[in-house]
Amino acid sequence: MLHFLLKKLIFTAITLWVASMVIFALLEIVPGDPAQLMLGINASADAVAALREQMGLDLPLPIRYGAWVGGLLQGDFGVSYTYSVPVSELIGERLWVSLPLALLALALSTVIAIPVGLYSASRRGTRTDTGIMAFTQLGIAIPNFWFALLMVYLFAIWLQWVPAGGFPGWDQGLFKGLKSLILPAIALALPQAAILSRVTRSALLDVMGEDYIRTARAKGLTARAVLWQHALRNALIPVLTILGLQFAFLLAGTIIIENVFYLPGLGRLIFQAISQRDLIVVESVVILLVATVIFINLLVDLTYALVDPRLRQGTGRNAS
Amino acid sequence: MSAPLIEQLDAPETWRDVAKKALHNRSFLTGLIITTIILALAIISFFWTPWSITDLDISLKLKKPSLEHWFGTDHFGRDIFSMIMVGARNSIAVALVAVGIGVLFGVPIGCWAAAKGGYADEVLMRTNDVIFAFPALLSAVMITAIFGPGAINAILAIGIFNIPVFARISRGAALSIWPREFIMAAEVAGKGKIRITVEHILPNIINLLLVQGTIQFSLGILAEAGLSYVGLGTQPPMSSWGRMLNEAQTMMSFAPHMAIFPGLAIVVTVLGLNLLGDGLRDVLDPRLRRER
């Protein structure tokens, strides 16, 4: 177990390191000088040079990379070029919108998908099953931002139950905040729920074909008991994998959905930062999201080991 | 007397067998019909559209769907059905090239890793893991933002993330073929690894690649629509489904048809491709068939 853990941790560290280099390198080739952009086109060359020096832009690349990563490790993300506030503060503010949104969407997707997958698997081959599967095919094909637009039309413009966009802030009360997050969360959750319920169903069906399920049935357990006690637990591995992947997908998905609903989250922040050439903000948001994905993958891997003791020996799923 | 069982099992499927199976597969047929229609609309749009999409006639603006304008008109008085036809070109081209990039780089990488094994394999697969850690959409946004919005950069951004997908799937499939007897026979016969890969491995994994290609194609269409919707993909005056949705957003309250039809076009196309992929998998490789 220790060996397994150590190996995973080392891979995680290497992945993070490579990812940070890639992000840094990509943003180095962005056209446009941030110092020039901040001062405007009328600034004198001397002023721009002075600001470049003050911002540390004149230092050699490896030193700047080192300073950036060193800062990150201490929780110091640097200072935004355009807002002149610490980046960590900016991100902290926006995270309060994006994170609840992604979590809400993940919860919705799971709450919908697992029962649907279970039900569909237990009715396998029937017309209900076929109907549900056809419905999930449709769900996968729907772009979430289009679904969001339709819901805005139905619930915000026509029925006027919820606001069409914007976010009042959590200080206006939990209910008001949730009210403006519910449509975006549903829009994000729907395609994910469709995928997840298909995975749940097929994982369950795979497990249901195993010998130990037949044994459990043979010793007199009801079909329902077998499904809940034996099949579901063993079907969890693929479901967990997809759940982990989906969280990453949901975090990235918030980028587009936040633009539909004018939500002041990380997605909007990154768009603003890109258009203002506020590199340090872009770098920080991207590395934060990528690091989150990497850690979730690590967590999923570790959860495998908890669910399936065979994997702890390091003999199991290593090759891939 | 029928042929011995072993021979029956190993008898190669002829194209006629496959075609016969395909015609009996409901999801393959539905997918094929939908995909063909969309493809036909895209091709026809080069020669003819019901209305010209470059002539702006403001007096016709924001018309509701009617017999004359099937899907209505937009804020410049352009016919939405015609714009969807032209937009299909764009979606298909972007997704197709993106899949092409993935296949062109990913398949050789995956096959090479499988043939070589050991250290090279490990390094390649870990590199793959790093790329997978970047949420594709986020990276596409970053790439198009850095190199400037536009169809070409959107293709590259989507295509890059197809590479690890194809590398992984061809490596996995190739690995399962390498230990088989006929490969050993080829090795004994003195064929090199490259020749074996080209002559024996590739023909055996092509089915799998075809199925994955269909899936990546539909994902590419969704990704292009998303990028164009936030303004980072296809630029005007080119017509694109994602852009149409972007323009429709501010007019949602009085012209919902502007948003409904381009979105439906995306849904129908993606659905068609997914059904085609599912059907292909069932038809081409019965071993992979999920219990239904």
Side-chain angles (χ1 to χ4, degrees), chain B residues 246-268:
Chain B
N246 172 307
E247 285 163 8
Q249 184 172 1
T250 46
M251 286 164 235
M252 207 58 204
S253 54
F254 48 89
H257 65 273
M258 268 180 74
I260 289 172
F261 293 109
L264 272 181
I266 300 173
V267 173
V268 169

Side-chain angles (χ1 to χ4, degrees), chain A:
Chain A
M1 183 66 191
L2 200 66
H3 179 76
F4 172 81
L5 202 69
L6 209 66
K7 201 174 146 191
K8 286 284 166 214
L9 280 178
I10 291 173
F11 275 136
T12 306
I14 294 178
T15 314
L16 264 175
W17 174 60
V18 176
S20 73
M21 299 240 287
V22 172
I23 292 168
F24 187 78
L26 266 179
L27 285 160
E28 270 314 307
I29 45 181
V30 180
D33 179 356
Q36 181 84 59
L37 227 88
M38 275 171 81
L39 293 173
I41 44 168
N42 294 322
S44 70
D46 285 348
V48 173
L51 187 66
R52 283 180 65 86
E53 201 182 325
Q54 191 199 329
M55 287 160 75
L57 287 171
D58 55 339
L59 297 171
L61 274 185
I63 295 188
R64 283 169 49 209
Y65 172 74
W68 177 57
V69 172
L72 282 184
L73 291 178
Q74 294 164 27
D76 172 17
F77 288 69
V79 177
S80 158
Y81 300 159
T82 43
Y83 297 96
S84 300
V85 291
V87 177
S88 49
E89 211 172 277
L90 274 179
I91 291 181
E93 256 167 48
R94 307 303 186 100
L95 209 56
W96 278 105
V97 180
S98 293
L99 197 63
L101 176 57
L103 286 175
L104 194 60
L106 190 70
L108 272 175
S109 150
T110 317
V111 167
I112 299 168
I114 303 233
V116 169
L118 259 171
Y119 185 75
S120 202
S122 69
R123 294 277 183 289
R124 149 199 193 180
T126 63
R127 211 171 281 172
T128 329
D129 180 30
T130 319
I132 291 176
M133 283 306 109
F135 208 67
T136 57
Q137 275 282 16
L138 196 66
I140 294 172
I142 293 177
N144 54 19
F145 57 91
W146 181 63
F147 188 57
L149 283 178
L150 294 187
M151 283 200 303
V152 167
Y153 182 66
L154 184 61
F155 295 110
I157 297 175
W158 206 42
L159 294 170
Q160 305 205 331
W161 286 352
V162 286
F167 186 70
W170 291 110
D171 48 350
Q172 297 283 311
L174 189 68
F175 182 70
K176 267 200 162 156
L178 282 179
K179 212 170 149 186
S180 41
L181 287 188
I182 190 71
L183 281 194
I186 295 174
L188 275 169
L190 173 95
Q192 306 298 314
I195 297 172
L196 195 61
S197 50
R198 289 179 82 87
V199 172
T200 309
R201 173 181 176 275
S202 67
L204 274 169
L205 290 185
D206 277 353
V207 171
M208 293 301 264
E210 298 278 344
D211 290 341
Y212 58 82
I213 297 293
R214 200 175 327 129
T215 312
R217 285 287 281 148
K219 79 175 185 192
L221 284 184
T222 60
R224 180 182 296 260
V226 170
L227 193 67
W228 284 97
Q229 287 168 24
H230 297 271
L232 190 59
R233 186 189 155 102
N234 285 290
L236 269 182
I237 285 196
V239 174
L240 266 176
T241 316
I242 299 294
L243 260 181
L245 283 175
Q246 288 202 331
F247 190 68
F249 201 85
L250 285 172
L251 266 181
T254 55
I255 295 178
I256 286 187
I257 288 295
E258 280 171 10
N259 275 287
V260 180
F261 292 95
Y262 305 102
L263 292 174
L266 285 178
R268 297 272 289 172
L269 179 66
I270 206 171
F271 269 105
Q272 286 161 358
I274 284 171
S275 60
Q276 292 158 342
R277 292 281 169 258
D278 201 344
L279 300 194
I280 192 127
V281 173
V282 182
E283 267 172 357
S284 308
V285 176
V286 174
I287 190 78
L288 193 75
L289 289 180
V290 171
T292 313
V293 175
I294 293 173
F295 276 118
I296 287 170
N297 288 345
L298 178 71
L299 250 144
V300 171
D301 274 351
L302 296 183
T303 324
Y304 283 155
L306 287 181
V307 178
D308 187 345
R310 277 171 304 181
L311 297 178
R312 278 175 231 162
Q313 318 300 328
T315 47
R317 217 184 42 95
N318 259 343
S320 66

